[in-house]
Amino acid sequence: MAVRREVYLDHAATTPLHPEVQKEMCHILENTFGNPSSLHFYGRAAKQQLELARTRVAALIGARPEEIIFTSGGTESDNLAVIGAAFAGRSKGRHIITSAIEHHAVLDTCVMLARNGFDVTYLPVDKDGFVDPLDVRKAIRRDTVLITIMHANNEIGTIEPIPEIGRIAREHEITFHTDAVQTVGYIPVHVDALNVDLLSLSAHKIYGPKGVGALYIRKGTRIQPLLHGGGQEREYRPGTENLPGIVGLGKAAEVAARDLPGESARYRMLCDRLIRGIKERIPDAKLNGHPEQRLPHNVNFSFCGTKGECLLVGLDQQGIAVSTGSACSSGASQLSHVLKEIGLTPELGAGTIRMTVGRSNKEEDIDYVLDALVELVERQRAFDEKV
Amino acid sequence: MAVRREVYLDHAATTPLHPEVQKEMCHILENTFGNPSSLHFYGRAAKQQLELARTRVAALIGARPEEIIFTSGGTESDNLAVIGAAFAGRSKGRHIITSAIEHHAVLDTCVMLARNGFDVTYLPVDKDGFVDPLDVRKAIRRDTVLITIMHANNEIGTIEPIPEIGRIAREHEITFHTDAVQTVGYIPVHVDALNVDLLSLSAHKIYGPKGVGALYIRKGTRIQPLLHGGGQEREYRPGTENLPGIVGLGKAAEVAARDLPGESARYRMLCDRLIRGIKERIPDAKLNGHPEQRLPHNVNFSFCGTKGECLLVGLDQQGIAVSTGSACSSGASQLSHVLKEIGLTPELGAGTIRMTVGRSNKEEDIDYVLDALVELVERQRAFDEKV
Amino acid sequence: MIIYSEKVIEHFMCPQNAHSMPDADAEGSYGDPSCGDYLTVYLKVKDNRIEEISYLVFGCCASIATSSMTSVLAKGKTLEEAFNITEEDIIQALDGLPENKVHCSNLGVSALRSAIENYLNKNRTEDSYENSNSSR
Ligand SMILES: Cc1ncc(COP(=O)(O)O)c(C=O)c1O
Ligand SMILES: Cc1ncc(COP(=O)(O)O)c(C=O)c1O
Ligand code: FES
Ligand code: FES
């Protein structure tokens, strides 16, 4: 067998800090501790760092700094966008349109709203995971106050037709949110090209720190805050700002903007190699998500006659980190809502793993993973002759 | 004039990182990046750090680890406790009891609830800032679902009679929350001695990082989550955990537990020196808050014939950082709700500053501040001959 | 959160006796209705003792480790001893299972018992014949 390697292939769950981000964060941790709301020297120094980070994040997505609100992560950004827009629109109506394959941060929030007097339409997706913009148009009602569709799916990587959906939302003057946690830093994300009013992003998916994110709020879009208190972040998000985290996000945004074109081409190349290798050596393996309209760093396969958990644990023993379903729920053994929605049978869905590449991965890593994966799949299938 | 010094006297607004916390955080930033929800090696390593931090925070306040939920700070902890308990109790009733001098994170949340069908009683305080437990008893109704009274006030430092209020709440089987953001790490805080069901704390007040806090939830206490999503923190608080922040909080809790007795005696001594000095040299200065039942690190004075803002800016020019009112609203120029509530006139209230000592402060700092402050007060008064 | 013991990982990575047995004396299966996982156990019995045991399994890591450990524990035991192996025995031999994986140990116990019953049923007539022989 080949020499043991350490291969982290779970970048959609979280990424390591970029060395430049780490350096900047450690510098802040050591040198700037003021409360950005304080008027004295320490506070002003902190405030300056906060605003620099805001400028950097805005630049990454083509927004203006004053349209960026810092949050505690993608989950809070999604909650703030969805609940905030829903409640701000209550006088107009209580209908929300979303898709059936959203991240739980959007989906569970919609379910909560549905229990509290809102009416939610969950649009289906096709077998590749696409939402049809025509379906969005048909679902719109006079009392629709929010459309929220993710930019790309975190499990199967399919990139949704956000610009078209945004155009439809704008025609009808309906607030439009997209969860871009998986796309920012991987494919071009520009709030005007996407026609969005609200956009969520998270630092730890782009080599920034965990526990910090941002919500883009287009000027003029009305949302209600989720948290109440000290008035920070223009009253949209009170609480003493997570300065080291925000500085880390700012630096990560800067690095992402700079490295995006090169890195994402490299990710695409690595994923193509992985996909090709799996298809050649395990001919009945099924690639989930659309073959082309997918995130450059995402590979998601189902292997009938296997269990994702067994593949995960087996690969882990060989230093390879992957995930089954989405990371947040990889403890659960049921089929994820996304795999169910694209029509996988429970048997096939059970044998699904997601591999997401990143900065540290090289071609040799891919070849190492291929060997390990093929061997594991074959071994598992041998246990069970039925297959 | 004396040699210029840098004296940070705004520790109630935020504290610098403890060097041990900083070291531990930088270590985590460099070495542990996994998502605690992931099943592979990287995830398990992260999970272990997360649980170690939980154990440390629990130990600081006499709780069990499984009763600690990590949040994005004191503001979120307060919001989660108040909104969460209010909504969990909706079937029983909609009455909430709080005080008029709570931090905005509690007060503004109560105001929001009052706009949404809840009935809120704001108990008054006496001139020293005390809530009377008898008033709490009298305010209780059959439909009271939550009592929330802060452990100590962040502006004037008065320590409230939480154990008594807790006993009354327990007699009536009403959920009891205390905002202990200002007391944890400064005076002994033990959830059983305080008779509380919910308790908020924040890392950046105890030499930990900004943007992370915790909520203690006594086993059996029912609260509803604020955020919806991936199921982290036992579904009380979803979202990928802020691992570096949480690790920083854990270390800060450990250090606080270890250093509390010595440091808080030292803070008390420094504050006594400051209070004595001011009283001697500016005889008409008014100490706000109770003279004894106060936070060991808090000094709050009103100087008639001055403006807090001018004192703050003047001191800042001499390297001294203080605050007017509470940090979060030190941008605002009106009298804070706390100063109004203890009966200060607008004129006297306007000339109020808060000085809060901490680890780095020495006796010489106090003497330096005294000289600068006395000179500034005298200078300001000279501008205005009325006084 | 699943964290497996080293023993579980060892048996998952290198399961003992994992193969089918076309010439088995008996076999028994059990499927867990909650997760859909499935185990078939094969036995060769001589003088009332399990001489050989093997299995085919389709399931999670814990079910594979459970199957492997069940076979290790049962091999060489009398039918009665083997029938009395409990979930607890298997979990203990595996140095524990995560709480949400405890049910997986049931797969091993149930399939083994079903195989033993299958053997006893098949051999009832011969048994009684042997019995009557020996009593003569
Ligand atoms: C599409 C999507 N939305 C939201 C989130 C939640 O972000 P966070 O982990 O920062 O709370 C994630 C990641 O888990 C995600 O992939
Ligand atoms: C009493 C009190 N409660 C709540 C908070 C809010 O905590 P955080 O700044 O961590 O959001 C503060 C500090 O600003 C405080 O002093
Ligand atoms: S003159 Fe400036 S605040 Fe009144
Ligand atoms: S989950 Fe089915 S046997 Fe383990």
Side-chain angles (χ1 to χ4, degrees):
Chain A
M1 219 193 103
V3 190
R4 186 190 156 90
R5 302 175 76 96
E6 297 275 321
V7 186
Y8 184 73
L9 272 190
D10 201 9
H11 292 84
T14 196
T15 55
L17 281 191
H18 192 289
E20 293 178 47
V21 174
Q22 188 192 313
K23 206 173 134 219
E24 191 135 332
M25 285 182 72
C26 284
H27 188 260
I28 280 285
L29 288 177
E30 191 158 344
N31 295 290
T32 310
F33 74 88
N35 187 326
S37 299
S38 298
L39 299 181
H40 47 62
F41 167 78
Y42 300 87
R44 294 194 306 272
K47 180 81 174 176
Q48 204 179 341
Q49 293 291 333
L50 185 68
E51 297 313 322
L52 172 62
R54 203 185 303 279
T55 307
R56 287 171 166 176
V57 172
L60 178 61
I61 60 170
R64 282 176 290 186
E66 63 272 22
E67 294 175 314
I68 301 295
I69 294 298
F70 292 115
T71 69
S72 69
T75 297
E76 188 188 329
S77 294
D78 282 345
N79 274 258
L80 175 55
V82 174
I83 301 178
F87 278 82
R90 260 198 301 185
S91 59
K92 181 188 165 199
R94 294 175 167 249
H95 181 234
I96 297 169
I97 300 172
T98 187
S99 86
I101 62 163
E102 296 299 306
H103 188 270
H104 282 292
V106 167
L107 213 54
D108 293 7
T109 302
C110 286
V111 168
M112 181 281 291
L113 288 172
R115 265 193 270 107
N116 284 278
F118 285 85
D119 198 4
V120 182
T121 300
Y122 304 91
L123 298 177
V125 296
D126 68 13
K127 63 172 198 348
D128 292 329
F130 280 122
V131 173
D132 187 340
L134 267 181
D135 286 347
V136 175
R137 189 183 287 280
K138 278 187 253 162
I140 289 175
R141 309 190 319 207
R142 275 235 303 271
D143 62 341
T144 305
V145 291
L146 172 69
I147 300 174
T148 170
I149 307 283
M150 70 201 314
H151 194 188
N153 184 269
N154 48 306
E155 290 190 44
I156 57 175
T158 302
I159 300 169
E160 302 296 342
I162 297 303
E164 285 92 310
I165 299 173
R167 209 169 307 124
I168 295 169
R170 193 153 296 169
E171 258 175 51
H172 293 80
E173 294 179 20
I174 297 168
T175 301
F176 181 39
H177 168 247
T178 196
D179 173 345
V181 168
Q182 289 288 338
T183 51
V184 166
Y186 292 91
I187 60 174
V189 171
H190 192 292
V191 292
D192 288 335
L194 293 177
N195 296 321
V196 296
D197 303 313
L198 300 164
L199 180 145
S200 305
L201 62 89
S202 179
H204 74 100
K205 311 284 187 183
I206 55 169
Y207 304 91
K210 280 168 251 306
V212 56
L215 180 64
Y216 159 77
I217 308 178
R218 185 181 292 278
K219 191 159 184 269
T221 303
R222 283 182 349 108
I223 71 166
Q224 279 189 14
L226 262 188
L227 298 180
H228 308 82
Q232 292 91 343
E233 295 291 303
R234 307 210 337 279
E235 312 226 337
Y236 284 113
R237 206 295 180 182
T240 302
E241 299 87 343
N242 174 357
L243 195 68
I246 290 170
V247 165
L249 169 55
K251 188 68 188 176
E254 191 193 53
V255 171
R258 183 189 71 200
D259 295 352
L260 172 73
E263 278 299 280
S264 90
R266 208 177 65 81
Y267 299 162
R268 174 82 67 194
M269 183 271 293
L270 292 173
C271 284
D272 284 349
R273 188 184 187 91
L274 185 55
I275 292 172
R276 215 176 327 112
I278 291 175
K279 284 188 168 166
E280 272 170 29
R281 296 167 64 177
I282 312 174
D284 63 353
K286 179 183 178 315
L287 177 68
N288 296 309
H290 191 273
E292 274 97 43
Q293 285 296 319
R294 65 186 302 124
L295 288 170
H297 65 308
N298 172 298
V299 174
N300 185 303
F301 266 102
S302 297
F303 307 98
C304 59
T306 71
K307 286 274 187 175
E309 190 212 358
C310 295
L311 297 176
L312 185 151
V313 173
L315 291 169
D316 188 42
Q317 288 300 310
Q318 297 175 59
I320 301 166
V322 304
S323 93
T324 63
S326 68
C328 311
S329 55
S330 60
S333 61
Q334 306 121 306
L335 195 52
S336 82
H337 65 292
V338 176
L339 299 180
K340 225 180 270 174
E341 191 58 32
I342 58 169
L344 292 201
T345 60
E347 291 73 34
L348 189 54
T352 303
I353 59 170
R354 178 186 72 180
M355 293 164 284
T356 42
V357 305
R359 279 188 73 244
S360 66
N361 297 138
K362 301 185 178 48
E363 287 195 13
E364 303 89 82
D365 291 334
I366 301 300
D367 299 338
Y368 175 76
V369 170
L370 273 171
D371 287 344
L373 180 63
V374 169
E375 193 193 308
L376 270 169
V377 169
E378 284 171 358
R379 198 166 64 97
Q380 267 197 63
R381 288 178 171 180
F383 288 162
D384 175 18
E385 285 177 26
K386 283 185 305 178
V387 185
Chain B
M1 218 193 103
V3 190
R4 187 189 154 92
R5 303 174 76 95
E6 296 276 321
V7 186
Y8 185 73
L9 272 190
D10 200 9
H11 292 84
T14 197
T15 56
L17 280 191
H18 193 288
E20 292 178 48
V21 174
Q22 188 193 314
K23 204 172 135 221
E24 192 134 330
M25 283 183 73
C26 284
H27 189 260
I28 281 285
L29 287 177
E30 191 158 345
N31 295 290
T32 310
F33 74 89
N35 186 325
S37 299
S38 297
L39 299 181
H40 47 62
F41 167 78
Y42 300 87
R44 295 194 304 273
K47 180 80 175 177
Q48 206 178 339
Q49 294 291 334
L50 185 68
E51 297 311 322
L52 172 63
R54 204 186 303 280
T55 308
R56 287 172 165 175
V57 172
L60 178 62
I61 59 169
R64 283 175 291 186
E66 64 272 22
E67 294 174 314
I68 302 297
I69 295 297
F70 292 115
T71 69
S72 69
T75 297
E76 187 187 331
S77 294
D78 283 345
N79 274 259
L80 175 56
V82 173
I83 301 179
F87 277 82
R90 259 197 304 183
S91 59
K92 183 187 163 199
R94 293 173 170 250
H95 181 234
I96 297 169
I97 300 172
T98 187
S99 87
I101 61 163
E102 296 298 306
H103 187 270
H104 282 292
V106 167
L107 213 53
D108 293 6
T109 302
C110 286
V111 168
M112 182 280 293
L113 288 172
R115 264 192 272 108
N116 283 276
F118 284 85
D119 198 3
V120 182
T121 300
Y122 304 91
L123 298 177
V125 295
D126 68 13
K127 65 173 197 347
D128 292 329
F130 280 122
V131 172
D132 187 340
L134 267 181
D135 285 347
V136 175
R137 189 184 287 280
K138 278 187 254 164
I140 289 175
R141 310 191 318 208
R142 273 235 302 272
D143 62 342
T144 306
V145 291
L146 172 68
I147 300 174
T148 171
I149 307 283
M150 69 200 316
H151 193 188
N153 184 270
N154 46 305
E155 290 189 45
I156 58 175
T158 302
I159 300 169
E160 302 296 341
I162 296 303
E164 285 91 310
I165 299 173
R167 210 170 304 124
I168 295 168
R170 193 154 294 169
E171 259 175 49
H172 293 79
E173 294 180 21
I174 297 167
T175 301
F176 180 41
H177 167 247
T178 196
D179 173 345
V181 168
Q182 289 289 339
T183 51
V184 166
Y186 292 91
I187 61 174
V189 171
H190 191 292
V191 292
D192 289 336
L194 294 177
N195 296 320
V196 295
D197 302 312
L198 299 163
L199 180 145
S200 305
L201 61 90
S202 179
H204 74 99
K205 311 286 186 183
I206 56 170
Y207 305 91
K210 278 167 252 306
V212 56
L215 180 65
Y216 159 79
I217 308 178
R218 185 180 292 278
K219 192 162 184 263
T221 303
R222 283 182 350 107
I223 71 164
Q224 279 189 15
L226 263 188
L227 297 180
H228 308 82
Q232 291 92 343
E233 295 292 301
R234 308 209 337 278
E235 313 224 339
Y236 285 113
R237 206 294 179 181
T240 302
E241 300 87 343
N242 174 357
L243 194 69
I246 290 169
V247 164
L249 169 55
K251 188 67 188 178
E254 192 194 56
V255 171
R258 184 190 71 200
D259 295 351
L260 173 74
E263 278 299 281
S264 85
R266 208 177 65 82
Y267 299 161
R268 174 82 66 195
M269 183 271 293
L270 292 173
C271 285
D272 284 350
R273 187 182 187 91
L274 185 55
I275 293 172
R276 215 177 326 112
I278 291 175
K279 283 187 169 166
E280 273 171 27
R281 296 169 63 179
I282 313 175
D284 63 353
K286 179 183 179 313
L287 177 69
N288 296 310
H290 191 272
E292 274 98 43
Q293 285 296 318
R294 65 187 300 123
L295 288 170
H297 64 309
N298 173 298
V299 174
N300 186 305
F301 267 102
S302 297
F303 307 99
C304 59
T306 71
K307 287 275 187 175
E309 190 210 355
C310 296
L311 297 176
L312 184 150
V313 174
L315 290 169
D316 187 41
Q317 288 302 309
Q318 296 176 58
I320 302 165
V322 305
S323 92
T324 63
S326 68
C328 311
S329 53
S330 59
S333 62
Q334 306 120 307
L335 195 52
S336 83
H337 65 293
V338 176
L339 300 180
K340 224 180 271 176
E341 191 59 32
I342 58 170
L344 291 202
T345 59
E347 291 72 35
L348 190 54
T352 303
I353 60 170
R354 177 185 74 179
M355 292 163 284
T356 42
V357 305
R359 278 188 72 243
S360 66
N361 297 138
K362 300 184 182 47
E363 287 192 14
E364 303 88 84
D365 292 333
I366 302 300
D367 299 338
Y368 175 75
V369 170
L370 272 170
D371 288 344
L373 180 64
V374 169
E375 194 192 309
L376 271 169
V377 168
E378 283 170 358
R379 198 162 63 97
Q380 269 197 61
R381 287 177 172 180
F383 287 161
D384 175 16
E385 281 176 33
K386 280 187 305 177
V387 187
Chain C
M1 183 67 192
I2 310 175
I3 296 186
Y4 290 124
S5 69
E6 270 170 39
K7 202 73 169 207
V8 171
I9 295 290
E10 187 186 310
H11 278 264
F12 163 68
M13 291 303 284
C14 302
Q16 309 292 301
N17 311 307
H19 51 82
S20 69
M21 197 187 283
D23 55 345
D25 295 335
E27 64 176 75
S29 297
Y30 183 77
D32 186 318
S34 66
C35 60
D37 294 344
Y38 198 83
L39 171 65
T40 303
V41 169
Y42 303 95
L43 298 178
K44 270 190 194 157
V45 180
K46 196 173 172 195
D47 295 336
N48 204 42
R49 249 173 222 288
I50 296 177
E51 195 179 53
E52 269 187 61
I53 176 169
S54 75
Y55 55 88
L56 290 176
V57 57
F58 178 67
C60 68
C61 300
S63 73
I64 291 170
T66 290
S67 309
S68 172
M69 185 52 83
T70 305
S71 74
V72 168
L73 291 179
K75 195 165 181 175
K77 289 215 164 56
T78 66
L79 290 178
E80 194 182 358
E81 287 165 348
F83 197 90
N84 287 328
I85 293 174
T86 63
E87 281 97 337
E88 266 313 306
D89 297 335
I90 295 169
I91 292 172
Q92 220 169 47
L94 288 171
D95 294 341
L97 280 176
E99 204 174 308
N100 61 339
K101 288 287 176 177
V102 165
H103 75 274
C104 310
S105 60
N106 181 242
L107 218 56
V109 169
S110 297
L112 174 61
R113 287 181 185 171
S114 145
I116 293 171
E117 273 165 2
N118 175 250
Y119 177 84
L120 293 177
N121 284 340
K122 269 191 185 171
N123 295 284
R124 188 170 295 142
T125 42
E126 299 153 41
D127 268 349
S128 48
Y129 171 73
E130 277 171 15
N131 284 347
S132 53
N133 258 354
S134 54
S135 68
R136 213 181 275 168

